[in-house]
Amino acid sequence: MESKVYPVSDEWAQDALIDAETYARKYRQSIEDPDTFWREEAQRIDWIKPFTKVKDTSFDKDDFHIRWFEDGTLNLAANCLDRHLADHGDRPAIIWEPDDPSHDNRILTYRQLYEETCRFANGLKANGVKKGDRVTIYMPMVPEAAIAMLACARIGAVHSVIFAGFSPEALGNRIEDCDSDIVITADEGHRGGRKVPLKANVDEALDHHAHVSRVIMLRHTGADVPMKEGRDITWDEAVADQSTDCEPEEMAAEDPLFILYTSGSTGKPKGVLHTTGGYAVWTSMTHEYSFDHRPGDVYWCAADIGWITGHSYIVYGPFANGATNVMFEGTPNYPDFSRFWQIVDKYRVNILYTAPTALRALMREGNEWVEKTSRDSLRVLGSVGEPINPEAWEWYYHIVGNGKCPIADTWWQTETGGHMITPLPGAHALKPGSATKPMFGVKPEIVDTDGNRLEGPCEGALVIADSWPGQMRGVYGDEERFFLTYFSTFKGRYFTSDGCRRDEDGYYWITGRMDDVINVSGHRMGTAEIESALVLHEKVAEAAVVAMPHDVKGQGIYCYVTTIAGVEGDEDLRKELIKWVRHEIGPIASPDVVQFAPSLPKTRSGKIMRRILRKIAENDTSNLGDTSTLADPEVVDNLIANRPDL
Ligand code: 6R9
């Protein structure tokens, strides 16, 4: 396949933190002599007790374990805050931009962020939170969300951030799964001119999860919300009279840092568990190298704190590196389609990190929204969440970046903690749509279905052959699921569930998920999760959910629904089911299409043939592949005949 190549410019080649030669040398060392490489790289973190052992890992079933820097101790919040105070306590740590541009922004220096974090950490302690306790955070994109996370890290509590777009039902299940007794939230959030009823959602969730004994609520919009006597207090009450100093807890490198729920192939979202030392080194290193981040840069990651990108690249990586972080509460299209670029100009952003879905949504509105802004402060552009199509890549590069900013197309996952395959701006020639080359310490391999390693240009399943420091350490509360999900498909290797192609230059091209995960606007949704929600509805007998191509979201959600006998699938029920799924999971899981089906295509053994359902959803029915195992071929003809016009 022919593709355009954008070589590293002379300017970049000369000034980059990591140039091509340095990349080659460091990469080789990271694979051949990981001990030396990581011993040095880990010096970017302040250890309380220095580690002596670097890496002790095995992906083999009989001896499965992952430990990095294991006898070292540290506190990650102290690495993100305290150590910056002496030299640049007055540097802005967070520049917060509200949803509505006519409202006031907020700027918190490192000293202020330190003090607010300590006060809240003391407040948590005063409310009974101890090291190892799980704290649920359900917050809008405000500085207090980051403060709550850092406060947990400071006292050794394990945070579980739930994206504010999740429903009460989804929130409740996640509170239950990690058995957390405390929830931190706000009265409401702002998003694109609308209000998100966070406290009301928490109340609804807690109707069924009464063991939660404390809710701390930030007053943000000032909405009049009911407070439950004895359970609910305000943020201000929690921090009143608390000291602005709080001794950081000494954590072992392998002590848990946080849990983050994500979707996989099976019905129940899993709590991905990350630990402290390796994650600290990994997020700090990748944030610096992938974006060529320099002290004093204004850096903006436009993700939400509820996703791994927010954890690693709004909070831990950037703060560990003393970055000035823009944090934005709103959306790219409110009040108009220039909003992103106006923010870039307002704060003279040097590094912008966003998702292909946002770019596609803005691209289709026309270039004038971009071109009326300057954007001349931009130096590096980042992309994350899904494969970026070459058209969106070219637009990002030429229109947004004026043809002078390298694009870091960062491939990684909740499970990997940080960037795994990505170009470094001064080291790699770029090919639009390719995540290019592995990060230091990452050993990608492409295997066939039998697990044979393929060499040279090839396509297959992407696996990682050895451990890296930022790797997840477990599925919370389910020890076996970790090994089974990631290490049992291909022996001795971590299976990413992504398909991948490697070209003649050794560049990696991610082709997308190979499992039943739909990537909607960069958000992972399990088809089984949506199916379970649908069949909970009293009028639904059976449901099958597959991905469909979508111009803006990347993938959309296509649902085939069989109603119970005597119920007709009409327009009203269609609307009701869409509302139902939004209520059960959240607005991000909104079905794009609901097609009623008298029955679903099944094999004689009763398995739903998703391959066929996918083809119909893609409107590609000329070649359905092998249909010989279908129990009733007429079912398929009926589905094709009744496919809604989209
Ligand atoms: C960070 C994040 C992970 C899945 C991953 C892959 C897709 C993410 C990508 C990409 C191609 C990129 N993905 N970044 N695909 N190029 N640059 O998104 O984590 O929410 O766990 O999703 O997203 O399919 O497996 P997460």
Side-chain angles (χ1 to χ4, degrees), residues 262 307-309 353 383-388 409-415 421 433 435 496-498 510-513 519 522-524:
T262 191
W307 306 109
I308 190 67
T309 307
Y353 191 27
S383 173
V384 60
E386 57 178 312
I388 180 166
D409 175 5
T410 60
W411 173 83
W412 60 295
Q413 310 177 299
T414 305
E415 293 88 339
I421 301 183
T496 65
S497 292
D498 276 319
I510 308 295
T511 52
R513 300 287 300 195
N519 192 325
H523 302 153
R524 281 164 64 170

PDB file of all heavy atoms in Angstrom, residues 262 307-309 353 383-388 409-415 421 433 435 496-498 510-513 519 522-524, ligand 1:
ATOM      1  N   THR A 262     -13.428  -0.532  32.459  1.00  0.00           N
ATOM      2  CA  THR A 262     -13.456  -0.479  31.008  1.00  0.00           C
ATOM      3  C   THR A 262     -14.159  -1.707  30.466  1.00  0.00           C
ATOM      4  O   THR A 262     -14.318  -2.699  31.167  1.00  0.00           O
ATOM      5  CB  THR A 262     -12.037  -0.353  30.419  1.00  0.00           C
ATOM      6  OG1 THR A 262     -12.154  -0.058  29.027  1.00  0.00           O
ATOM      7  CG2 THR A 262     -11.233  -1.625  30.578  1.00  0.00           C
ATOM      8  N   TRP A 307     -11.652   8.917  31.659  1.00  0.00           N
ATOM      9  CA  TRP A 307     -11.045   7.887  30.825  1.00  0.00           C
ATOM     10  C   TRP A 307      -9.562   7.787  31.155  1.00  0.00           C
ATOM     11  O   TRP A 307      -8.989   8.690  31.751  1.00  0.00           O
ATOM     12  CB  TRP A 307     -11.193   8.223  29.333  1.00  0.00           C
ATOM     13  CG  TRP A 307     -12.616   8.469  28.955  1.00  0.00           C
ATOM     14  CD1 TRP A 307     -13.172   9.661  28.624  1.00  0.00           C
ATOM     15  CD2 TRP A 307     -13.679   7.506  28.902  1.00  0.00           C
ATOM     16  NE1 TRP A 307     -14.510   9.500  28.363  1.00  0.00           N
ATOM     17  CE2 TRP A 307     -14.841   8.203  28.517  1.00  0.00           C
ATOM     18  CE3 TRP A 307     -13.757   6.119  29.123  1.00  0.00           C
ATOM     19  CZ2 TRP A 307     -16.071   7.568  28.358  1.00  0.00           C
ATOM     20  CZ3 TRP A 307     -14.972   5.493  28.969  1.00  0.00           C
ATOM     21  CH2 TRP A 307     -16.114   6.202  28.588  1.00  0.00           C
ATOM     22  N   ILE A 308      -8.931   6.737  30.690  1.00  0.00           N
ATOM     23  CA  ILE A 308      -7.518   6.540  31.018  1.00  0.00           C
ATOM     24  C   ILE A 308      -6.674   7.705  30.493  1.00  0.00           C
ATOM     25  O   ILE A 308      -5.693   8.097  31.112  1.00  0.00           O
ATOM     26  CB  ILE A 308      -6.990   5.185  30.488  1.00  0.00           C
ATOM     27  CG1 ILE A 308      -5.598   4.865  31.026  1.00  0.00           C
ATOM     28  CG2 ILE A 308      -6.979   5.145  28.966  1.00  0.00           C
ATOM     29  CD1 ILE A 308      -5.500   4.607  32.497  1.00  0.00           C
ATOM     30  N   THR A 309      -7.075   8.281  29.356  1.00  0.00           N
ATOM     31  CA  THR A 309      -6.292   9.389  28.815  1.00  0.00           C
ATOM     32  C   THR A 309      -6.257  10.551  29.810  1.00  0.00           C
ATOM     33  O   THR A 309      -5.224  11.195  29.993  1.00  0.00           O
ATOM     34  CB  THR A 309      -6.858   9.840  27.455  1.00  0.00           C
ATOM     35  OG1 THR A 309      -6.956   8.685  26.619  1.00  0.00           O
ATOM     36  CG2 THR A 309      -5.976  10.869  26.792  1.00  0.00           C
ATOM     37  N   TYR A 353      -3.665  17.603  22.474  1.00  0.00           N
ATOM     38  CA  TYR A 353      -3.862  16.156  22.405  1.00  0.00           C
ATOM     39  C   TYR A 353      -5.353  15.892  22.378  1.00  0.00           C
ATOM     40  O   TYR A 353      -6.061  16.193  23.341  1.00  0.00           O
ATOM     41  CB  TYR A 353      -3.229  15.542  23.659  1.00  0.00           C
ATOM     42  CG  TYR A 353      -3.071  14.042  23.695  1.00  0.00           C
ATOM     43  CD1 TYR A 353      -2.950  13.283  22.539  1.00  0.00           C
ATOM     44  CD2 TYR A 353      -2.994  13.375  24.920  1.00  0.00           C
ATOM     45  CE1 TYR A 353      -2.756  11.906  22.604  1.00  0.00           C
ATOM     46  CE2 TYR A 353      -2.801  12.006  25.001  1.00  0.00           C
ATOM     47  CZ  TYR A 353      -2.693  11.268  23.840  1.00  0.00           C
ATOM     48  OH  TYR A 353      -2.509   9.912  23.919  1.00  0.00           O
ATOM     49  N   SER A 383      -2.980  12.533  18.892  1.00  0.00           N
ATOM     50  CA  SER A 383      -4.251  11.878  18.586  1.00  0.00           C
ATOM     51  C   SER A 383      -4.347  10.600  19.401  1.00  0.00           C
ATOM     52  O   SER A 383      -3.348   9.907  19.593  1.00  0.00           O
ATOM     53  CB  SER A 383      -4.311  11.565  17.087  1.00  0.00           C
ATOM     54  OG  SER A 383      -5.455  10.784  16.779  1.00  0.00           O
ATOM     55  N   VAL A 384      -5.549  10.264  19.855  1.00  0.00           N
ATOM     56  CA  VAL A 384      -5.732   9.068  20.678  1.00  0.00           C
ATOM     57  C   VAL A 384      -7.173   8.580  20.647  1.00  0.00           C
ATOM     58  O   VAL A 384      -8.085   9.374  20.462  1.00  0.00           O
ATOM     59  CB  VAL A 384      -5.353   9.331  22.156  1.00  0.00           C
ATOM     60  CG1 VAL A 384      -6.203  10.421  22.778  1.00  0.00           C
ATOM     61  CG2 VAL A 384      -5.452   8.064  22.998  1.00  0.00           C
ATOM     62  N   GLY A 385      -7.339   7.284  20.819  1.00  0.00           N
ATOM     63  CA  GLY A 385      -8.675   6.734  21.045  1.00  0.00           C
ATOM     64  C   GLY A 385      -9.121   5.741  20.007  1.00  0.00           C
ATOM     65  O   GLY A 385      -9.885   4.831  20.290  1.00  0.00           O
ATOM     66  N   GLU A 386      -8.679   5.928  18.787  1.00  0.00           N
ATOM     67  CA  GLU A 386      -9.078   5.039  17.701  1.00  0.00           C
ATOM     68  C   GLU A 386      -8.132   5.302  16.536  1.00  0.00           C
ATOM     69  O   GLU A 386      -7.405   6.305  16.536  1.00  0.00           O
ATOM     70  CB  GLU A 386     -10.524   5.313  17.292  1.00  0.00           C
ATOM     71  CG  GLU A 386     -10.706   6.755  16.905  1.00  0.00           C
ATOM     72  CD  GLU A 386     -12.110   7.102  16.450  1.00  0.00           C
ATOM     73  OE1 GLU A 386     -12.646   6.359  15.611  1.00  0.00           O
ATOM     74  OE2 GLU A 386     -12.628   8.119  16.905  1.00  0.00           O
ATOM     75  N   PRO A 387      -8.171   4.418  15.537  1.00  0.00           N
ATOM     76  CA  PRO A 387      -7.331   4.700  14.376  1.00  0.00           C
ATOM     77  C   PRO A 387      -7.749   6.035  13.754  1.00  0.00           C
ATOM     78  O   PRO A 387      -8.938   6.320  13.652  1.00  0.00           O
ATOM     79  CB  PRO A 387      -7.655   3.545  13.425  1.00  0.00           C
ATOM     80  CG  PRO A 387      -8.224   2.457  14.290  1.00  0.00           C
ATOM     81  CD  PRO A 387      -8.922   3.164  15.416  1.00  0.00           C
ATOM     82  N   ILE A 388      -6.785   6.860  13.395  1.00  0.00           N
ATOM     83  CA  ILE A 388      -7.133   8.130  12.746  1.00  0.00           C
ATOM     84  C   ILE A 388      -7.096   7.905  11.235  1.00  0.00           C
ATOM     85  O   ILE A 388      -6.099   7.432  10.691  1.00  0.00           O
ATOM     86  CB  ILE A 388      -6.228   9.300  13.202  1.00  0.00           C
ATOM     87  CG1 ILE A 388      -6.627  10.605  12.507  1.00  0.00           C
ATOM     88  CG2 ILE A 388      -4.746   9.009  13.030  1.00  0.00           C
ATOM     89  CD1 ILE A 388      -6.026  11.865  13.137  1.00  0.00           C
ATOM     90  N   ASP A 409       0.429  10.117  16.852  1.00  0.00           N
ATOM     91  CA  ASP A 409      -0.739   9.233  16.830  1.00  0.00           C
ATOM     92  C   ASP A 409      -0.446   8.110  17.816  1.00  0.00           C
ATOM     93  O   ASP A 409       0.235   7.146  17.496  1.00  0.00           O
ATOM     94  CB  ASP A 409      -0.947   8.706  15.406  1.00  0.00           C
ATOM     95  CG  ASP A 409      -2.073   7.682  15.321  1.00  0.00           C
ATOM     96  OD1 ASP A 409      -2.751   7.441  16.329  1.00  0.00           O
ATOM     97  OD2 ASP A 409      -2.257   7.117  14.222  1.00  0.00           O
ATOM     98  N   THR A 410      -0.944   8.278  19.037  1.00  0.00           N
ATOM     99  CA  THR A 410      -0.542   7.416  20.145  1.00  0.00           C
ATOM    100  C   THR A 410      -1.479   6.227  20.294  1.00  0.00           C
ATOM    101  O   THR A 410      -2.631   6.378  20.688  1.00  0.00           O
ATOM    102  CB  THR A 410      -0.556   8.208  21.461  1.00  0.00           C
ATOM    103  OG1 THR A 410      -1.892   8.695  21.705  1.00  0.00           O
ATOM    104  CG2 THR A 410       0.393   9.405  21.395  1.00  0.00           C
ATOM    105  N   TRP A 411      -0.976   5.036  19.993  1.00  0.00           N
ATOM    106  CA  TRP A 411      -1.789   3.838  20.240  1.00  0.00           C
ATOM    107  C   TRP A 411      -1.494   3.306  21.634  1.00  0.00           C
ATOM    108  O   TRP A 411      -0.330   3.097  21.991  1.00  0.00           O
ATOM    109  CB  TRP A 411      -1.505   2.732  19.201  1.00  0.00           C
ATOM    110  CG  TRP A 411      -2.235   1.481  19.621  1.00  0.00           C
ATOM    111  CD1 TRP A 411      -3.543   1.184  19.379  1.00  0.00           C
ATOM    112  CD2 TRP A 411      -1.712   0.397  20.412  1.00  0.00           C
ATOM    113  NE1 TRP A 411      -3.870  -0.012  19.985  1.00  0.00           N
ATOM    114  CE2 TRP A 411      -2.769  -0.507  20.618  1.00  0.00           C
ATOM    115  CE3 TRP A 411      -0.464   0.121  20.972  1.00  0.00           C
ATOM    116  CZ2 TRP A 411      -2.607  -1.686  21.353  1.00  0.00           C
ATOM    117  CZ3 TRP A 411      -0.305  -1.051  21.708  1.00  0.00           C
ATOM    118  CH2 TRP A 411      -1.371  -1.952  21.883  1.00  0.00           C
ATOM    119  N   TRP A 412      -2.541   3.104  22.386  1.00  0.00           N
ATOM    120  CA  TRP A 412      -2.409   2.481  23.707  1.00  0.00           C
ATOM    121  C   TRP A 412      -3.776   2.130  24.228  1.00  0.00           C
ATOM    122  O   TRP A 412      -4.763   2.282  23.510  1.00  0.00           O
ATOM    123  CB  TRP A 412      -1.625   3.389  24.663  1.00  0.00           C
ATOM    124  CG  TRP A 412      -2.221   4.754  24.930  1.00  0.00           C
ATOM    125  CD1 TRP A 412      -2.400   5.767  24.016  1.00  0.00           C
ATOM    126  CD2 TRP A 412      -2.721   5.255  26.170  1.00  0.00           C
ATOM    127  NE1 TRP A 412      -2.957   6.869  24.630  1.00  0.00           N
ATOM    128  CE2 TRP A 412      -3.168   6.580  25.954  1.00  0.00           C
ATOM    129  CE3 TRP A 412      -2.810   4.728  27.458  1.00  0.00           C
ATOM    130  CZ2 TRP A 412      -3.718   7.373  26.968  1.00  0.00           C
ATOM    131  CZ3 TRP A 412      -3.343   5.519  28.471  1.00  0.00           C
ATOM    132  CH2 TRP A 412      -3.789   6.822  28.214  1.00  0.00           C
ATOM    133  N   GLN A 413      -3.862   1.648  25.455  1.00  0.00           N
ATOM    134  CA  GLN A 413      -5.118   1.155  26.011  1.00  0.00           C
ATOM    135  C   GLN A 413      -5.193   1.455  27.506  1.00  0.00           C
ATOM    136  O   GLN A 413      -4.160   1.678  28.146  1.00  0.00           O
ATOM    137  CB  GLN A 413      -5.205  -0.369  25.850  1.00  0.00           C
ATOM    138  CG  GLN A 413      -4.924  -0.865  24.458  1.00  0.00           C
ATOM    139  CD  GLN A 413      -4.940  -2.371  24.372  1.00  0.00           C
ATOM    140  OE1 GLN A 413      -4.146  -3.042  25.030  1.00  0.00           O
ATOM    141  NE2 GLN A 413      -5.838  -2.912  23.561  1.00  0.00           N
ATOM    142  N   THR A 414      -6.406   1.383  28.061  1.00  0.00           N
ATOM    143  CA  THR A 414      -6.571   1.499  29.512  1.00  0.00           C
ATOM    144  C   THR A 414      -5.583   0.555  30.205  1.00  0.00           C
ATOM    145  O   THR A 414      -4.946   0.918  31.203  1.00  0.00           O
ATOM    146  CB  THR A 414      -8.016   1.095  29.907  1.00  0.00           C
ATOM    147  OG1 THR A 414      -8.933   1.887  29.155  1.00  0.00           O
ATOM    148  CG2 THR A 414      -8.253   1.306  31.396  1.00  0.00           C
ATOM    149  N   GLU A 415      -5.465  -0.620  29.655  1.00  0.00           N
ATOM    150  CA  GLU A 415      -4.639  -1.660  30.258  1.00  0.00           C
ATOM    151  C   GLU A 415      -3.145  -1.357  30.201  1.00  0.00           C
ATOM    152  O   GLU A 415      -2.375  -1.868  31.009  1.00  0.00           O
ATOM    153  CB  GLU A 415      -4.870  -2.992  29.522  1.00  0.00           C
ATOM    154  CG  GLU A 415      -6.264  -3.586  29.691  1.00  0.00           C
ATOM    155  CD  GLU A 415      -7.275  -3.085  28.655  1.00  0.00           C
ATOM    156  OE1 GLU A 415      -7.040  -2.002  28.056  1.00  0.00           O
ATOM    157  OE2 GLU A 415      -8.284  -3.770  28.451  1.00  0.00           O
ATOM    158  N   ILE A 421       2.683   2.498  21.136  1.00  0.00           N
ATOM    159  CA  ILE A 421       3.206   2.664  19.785  1.00  0.00           C
ATOM    160  C   ILE A 421       2.865   4.080  19.368  1.00  0.00           C
ATOM    161  O   ILE A 421       1.693   4.467  19.365  1.00  0.00           O
ATOM    162  CB  ILE A 421       2.583   1.646  18.804  1.00  0.00           C
ATOM    163  CG1 ILE A 421       2.871   0.216  19.266  1.00  0.00           C
ATOM    164  CG2 ILE A 421       3.105   1.874  17.390  1.00  0.00           C
ATOM    165  CD1 ILE A 421       2.365  -0.866  18.325  1.00  0.00           C
ATOM    166  N   GLY A 433      -2.058   7.946   9.473  1.00  0.00           N
ATOM    167  CA  GLY A 433      -2.826   6.746   9.807  1.00  0.00           C
ATOM    168  C   GLY A 433      -2.000   5.663  10.472  1.00  0.00           C
ATOM    169  O   GLY A 433      -2.544   4.683  10.963  1.00  0.00           O
ATOM    170  N   ALA A 435       0.505   4.498  13.564  1.00  0.00           N
ATOM    171  CA  ALA A 435       1.014   4.856  14.892  1.00  0.00           C
ATOM    172  C   ALA A 435       2.544   4.701  14.919  1.00  0.00           C
ATOM    173  O   ALA A 435       3.177   4.941  15.941  1.00  0.00           O
ATOM    174  CB  ALA A 435       0.345   4.008  15.968  1.00  0.00           C
ATOM    175  N   THR A 496      -3.526  -7.763  22.871  1.00  0.00           N
ATOM    176  CA  THR A 496      -4.129  -6.432  22.932  1.00  0.00           C
ATOM    177  C   THR A 496      -5.594  -6.409  22.490  1.00  0.00           C
ATOM    178  O   THR A 496      -6.279  -5.425  22.716  1.00  0.00           O
ATOM    179  CB  THR A 496      -3.376  -5.472  21.990  1.00  0.00           C
ATOM    180  OG1 THR A 496      -3.578  -5.936  20.640  1.00  0.00           O
ATOM    181  CG2 THR A 496      -1.889  -5.432  22.293  1.00  0.00           C
ATOM    182  N   SER A 497      -6.022  -7.470  21.779  1.00  0.00           N
ATOM    183  CA  SER A 497      -7.349  -7.515  21.142  1.00  0.00           C
ATOM    184  C   SER A 497      -7.448  -6.596  19.929  1.00  0.00           C
ATOM    185  O   SER A 497      -8.527  -6.418  19.379  1.00  0.00           O
ATOM    186  CB  SER A 497      -8.488  -7.171  22.113  1.00  0.00           C
ATOM    187  OG  SER A 497      -8.623  -8.169  23.076  1.00  0.00           O
ATOM    188  N   ASP A 498      -6.346  -5.991  19.526  1.00  0.00           N
ATOM    189  CA  ASP A 498      -6.342  -5.179  18.310  1.00  0.00           C
ATOM    190  C   ASP A 498      -5.691  -5.940  17.162  1.00  0.00           C
ATOM    191  O   ASP A 498      -4.740  -6.697  17.367  1.00  0.00           O
ATOM    192  CB  ASP A 498      -5.550  -3.877  18.524  1.00  0.00           C
ATOM    193  CG  ASP A 498      -6.395  -2.789  19.166  1.00  0.00           C
ATOM    194  OD1 ASP A 498      -7.574  -2.651  18.781  1.00  0.00           O
ATOM    195  OD2 ASP A 498      -5.883  -2.080  20.043  1.00  0.00           O
ATOM    196  N   ILE A 510      -2.614   0.153  13.192  1.00  0.00           N
ATOM    197  CA  ILE A 510      -3.651  -0.531  13.966  1.00  0.00           C
ATOM    198  C   ILE A 510      -4.916  -0.603  13.111  1.00  0.00           C
ATOM    199  O   ILE A 510      -5.362   0.412  12.572  1.00  0.00           O
ATOM    200  CB  ILE A 510      -3.963   0.238  15.267  1.00  0.00           C
ATOM    201  CG1 ILE A 510      -2.681   0.538  16.056  1.00  0.00           C
ATOM    202  CG2 ILE A 510      -4.996  -0.504  16.109  1.00  0.00           C
ATOM    203  CD1 ILE A 510      -1.946  -0.653  16.577  1.00  0.00           C
ATOM    204  N   THR A 511      -5.492  -1.803  13.005  1.00  0.00           N
ATOM    205  CA  THR A 511      -6.681  -1.943  12.157  1.00  0.00           C
ATOM    206  C   THR A 511      -7.976  -1.984  12.960  1.00  0.00           C
ATOM    207  O   THR A 511      -9.053  -1.983  12.390  1.00  0.00           O
ATOM    208  CB  THR A 511      -6.571  -3.215  11.290  1.00  0.00           C
ATOM    209  OG1 THR A 511      -6.286  -4.334  12.142  1.00  0.00           O
ATOM    210  CG2 THR A 511      -5.461  -3.084  10.267  1.00  0.00           C
ATOM    211  N   GLY A 512      -7.894  -2.021  14.282  1.00  0.00           N
ATOM    212  CA  GLY A 512      -9.119  -1.979  15.097  1.00  0.00           C
ATOM    213  C   GLY A 512      -9.313  -3.237  15.932  1.00  0.00           C
ATOM    214  O   GLY A 512      -8.537  -4.185  15.834  1.00  0.00           O
ATOM    215  N   ARG A 513     -10.352  -3.230  16.743  1.00  0.00           N
ATOM    216  CA  ARG A 513     -10.583  -4.313  17.700  1.00  0.00           C
ATOM    217  C   ARG A 513     -10.948  -5.616  17.000  1.00  0.00           C
ATOM    218  O   ARG A 513     -11.670  -5.627  16.014  1.00  0.00           O
ATOM    219  CB  ARG A 513     -11.722  -3.929  18.649  1.00  0.00           C
ATOM    220  CG  ARG A 513     -11.464  -2.688  19.463  1.00  0.00           C
ATOM    221  CD  ARG A 513     -10.471  -2.855  20.561  1.00  0.00           C
ATOM    222  NE  ARG A 513     -10.826  -3.844  21.556  1.00  0.00           N
ATOM    223  CZ  ARG A 513     -10.225  -3.937  22.749  1.00  0.00           C
ATOM    224  NH1 ARG A 513      -9.254  -3.091  23.075  1.00  0.00           N
ATOM    225  NH2 ARG A 513     -10.573  -4.867  23.593  1.00  0.00           N
ATOM    226  N   ASN A 519     -15.841   0.721  19.307  1.00  0.00           N
ATOM    227  CA  ASN A 519     -15.147   1.948  19.675  1.00  0.00           C
ATOM    228  C   ASN A 519     -15.977   3.141  19.191  1.00  0.00           C
ATOM    229  O   ASN A 519     -15.892   3.555  18.042  1.00  0.00           O
ATOM    230  CB  ASN A 519     -13.749   1.938  19.048  1.00  0.00           C
ATOM    231  CG  ASN A 519     -12.864   3.023  19.618  1.00  0.00           C
ATOM    232  OD1 ASN A 519     -13.339   4.107  19.944  1.00  0.00           O
ATOM    233  ND2 ASN A 519     -11.581   2.749  19.741  1.00  0.00           N
ATOM    234  N   GLY A 522     -14.075   6.839  20.292  1.00  0.00           N
ATOM    235  CA  GLY A 522     -12.925   6.578  21.160  1.00  0.00           C
ATOM    236  C   GLY A 522     -13.306   5.971  22.503  1.00  0.00           C
ATOM    237  O   GLY A 522     -12.444   5.724  23.331  1.00  0.00           O
ATOM    238  N   HIS A 523     -14.586   5.733  22.735  1.00  0.00           N
ATOM    239  CA  HIS A 523     -15.011   5.105  23.999  1.00  0.00           C
ATOM    240  C   HIS A 523     -15.335   3.641  23.765  1.00  0.00           C
ATOM    241  O   HIS A 523     -16.051   3.300  22.838  1.00  0.00           O
ATOM    242  CB  HIS A 523     -16.241   5.807  24.566  1.00  0.00           C
ATOM    243  CG  HIS A 523     -16.019   7.258  24.820  1.00  0.00           C
ATOM    244  ND1 HIS A 523     -17.021   8.178  24.807  1.00  0.00           N
ATOM    245  CD2 HIS A 523     -14.890   7.946  25.079  1.00  0.00           C
ATOM    246  CE1 HIS A 523     -16.534   9.378  25.050  1.00  0.00           C
ATOM    247  NE2 HIS A 523     -15.236   9.260  25.211  1.00  0.00           N
ATOM    248  N   ARG A 524     -14.816   2.818  24.651  1.00  0.00           N
ATOM    249  CA  ARG A 524     -15.035   1.383  24.487  1.00  0.00           C
ATOM    250  C   ARG A 524     -16.374   0.953  25.039  1.00  0.00           C
ATOM    251  O   ARG A 524     -16.677   1.200  26.190  1.00  0.00           O
ATOM    252  CB  ARG A 524     -13.933   0.627  25.217  1.00  0.00           C
ATOM    253  CG  ARG A 524     -12.661   0.580  24.433  1.00  0.00           C
ATOM    254  CD  ARG A 524     -11.501   0.187  25.300  1.00  0.00           C
ATOM    255  NE  ARG A 524     -11.633  -1.161  25.826  1.00  0.00           N
ATOM    256  CZ  ARG A 524     -10.634  -1.779  26.460  1.00  0.00           C
ATOM    257  NH1 ARG A 524      -9.481  -1.169  26.628  1.00  0.00           N
ATOM    258  NH2 ARG A 524     -10.801  -2.995  26.921  1.00  0.00           N
TER     259      ARG A 524
HETATM  260  C1  6R9 B   1      -6.137   5.191  25.250  1.00  0.00           C
HETATM  261  C2  6R9 B   1      -7.419   4.531  24.943  1.00  0.00           C
HETATM  262  C3  6R9 B   1      -8.223   1.247  23.706  1.00  0.00           C
HETATM  263  C4  6R9 B   1      -8.539   0.872  22.271  1.00  0.00           C
HETATM  264  C5  6R9 B   1      -7.394   0.150  21.609  1.00  0.00           C
HETATM  265  C6  6R9 B   1      -7.603   0.519  20.148  1.00  0.00           C
HETATM  266  C7  6R9 B   1      -8.141   1.936  20.209  1.00  0.00           C
HETATM  267  C8  6R9 B   1      -6.661   3.840  20.979  1.00  0.00           C
HETATM  268  C9  6R9 B   1      -5.558   4.315  19.161  1.00  0.00           C
HETATM  269  C10 6R9 B   1      -6.412   3.217  18.900  1.00  0.00           C
HETATM  270  C11 6R9 B   1      -5.640   3.102  16.733  1.00  0.00           C
HETATM  271  C12 6R9 B   1      -4.739   4.800  18.079  1.00  0.00           C
HETATM  272  N1  6R9 B   1      -7.083   2.962  20.050  1.00  0.00           N
HETATM  273  N2  6R9 B   1      -5.736   4.676  20.455  1.00  0.00           N
HETATM  274  N3  6R9 B   1      -6.447   2.625  17.701  1.00  0.00           N
HETATM  275  N4  6R9 B   1      -4.813   4.155  16.899  1.00  0.00           N
HETATM  276  N5  6R9 B   1      -3.915   5.858  18.219  1.00  0.00           N
HETATM  277  O1  6R9 B   1      -8.103   4.904  24.018  1.00  0.00           O
HETATM  278  O2  6R9 B   1      -7.759   3.485  25.778  1.00  0.00           O
HETATM  279  O3  6R9 B   1     -10.292   3.469  26.005  1.00  0.00           O
HETATM  280  O4  6R9 B   1      -8.858   1.491  26.669  1.00  0.00           O
HETATM  281  O5  6R9 B   1      -9.229   2.070  24.262  1.00  0.00           O
HETATM  282  O6  6R9 B   1      -8.735   2.060  21.501  1.00  0.00           O
HETATM  283  O7  6R9 B   1      -8.573  -0.312  19.576  1.00  0.00           O
HETATM  284  O8  6R9 B   1      -7.470  -1.233  21.864  1.00  0.00           O
HETATM  285  P1  6R9 B   1      -9.092   2.624  25.742  1.00  0.00           P
END
